[in-house]
Amino acid sequence: MHVRTSTSGFAAVLAATFALMGGQATAAPSAAADADRAAAARVVTYDASGSAEFRSAVDRGAAIWNESVDAVELRPAAAGQRANIRVLADNGWPRAITTSLGNGTVYIGRQAVDEGHNTIRISAHELGHILGLPDRKPGPCSSLMSGASAGTTCTNAYPNAAEKAEVEGYFGGSFARTSGAVPLNAVIMD
């Protein structure tokens, strides 16, 4: 029995080797092509038409991400274009619902704004979830993803170096990860 198992395993390896040898040869992508793909930002569109009084905060939050990372660019969706991200205002707590990396719905909740939290920080934080970042609570004001745990006096709306690097890793280059740390099809309450 031991001999038969070894022989079967050897035969499988030989069959795989011959199949690979008989296949068509293809050239590996050039280093320049990889560099071009890495340099090209992935465009993620957003629709803030439902964000009511928070429209300028949403646009500023997107601009902050555009200033902070190179591998992804957040742009307002063109008229009639289906956006990757829908941004809505409601009376609840801010939250993001992720459907896949770079896709989902953000709610700019008035409850946090009424408590004194900064609208631009809220916007950038929630967009960070859509870009793959989880909450990091409790955390210091220097961490965008610390969210409300940094307190109402925190107005920092910029991701720190680690948060930037994480998003760059999710969206950058041909070997980038295809999903972020945030679970998909999940509601992330901040």
Side-chain angles (χ1 to χ4, degrees):
M1 186 73 135
H2 177 67
V3 173
R4 179 180 287 169
T5 303
S6 296
T7 305
S8 297
F10 182 70
V13 169
L14 281 177
T17 302
F18 288 132
L20 289 174
M21 289 173 59
Q24 185 176 4
T26 59
S30 70
D34 282 343
D36 287 345
R37 278 193 298 274
R42 177 176 169 201
V43 175
V44 173
T45 58
Y46 68 93
D47 176 1
S49 63
S51 63
E53 69 270 26
F54 306 118
R55 178 64 186 257
S56 65
V58 172
D59 290 337
R60 184 65 194 128
I64 286 169
W65 276 108
N66 291 341
E67 294 166 21
S68 300
V69 296
D70 295 322
V72 64
E73 180 182 351
L74 298 171
R75 282 190 205 156
Q81 178 185 21
R82 185 167 186 243
N84 299 99
I85 306 167
R86 280 186 28 202
V87 185
L88 305 169
D90 74 0
N91 293 325
W93 194 257
R95 61 203 177 277
I97 301 172
T98 59
T99 55
S100 64
L101 183 63
N103 295 284
T105 303
V106 164
Y107 292 87
I108 308 294
R110 292 181 182 97
Q111 183 179 353
V113 175
D114 291 346
E115 289 181 15
H117 292 279
N118 181 275
T119 57
I120 297 171
R121 179 174 167 86
I122 291 169
S123 175
H125 174 93
E126 297 306 332
L127 290 170
H129 287 313
I130 302 296
L131 298 178
L133 300 177
D135 279 321
R136 301 226 162 82
K137 297 178 182 181
C141 183
S142 59
S143 168
L144 174 62
M145 300 315 291
S146 67
S149 71
T152 56
T153 59
C154 178
T155 60
N156 171 43
Y158 285 83
N160 64 26
E163 293 162 340
K164 292 177 195 178
E166 198 171 344
V167 170
E168 293 283 13
Y170 293 148
F171 288 91
S174 60
F175 296 107
R177 290 170 54 176
T178 56
S179 64
V182 173
L184 302 179
N185 296 315
V187 176
I188 302 163
M189 297 292 290
D190 295 306

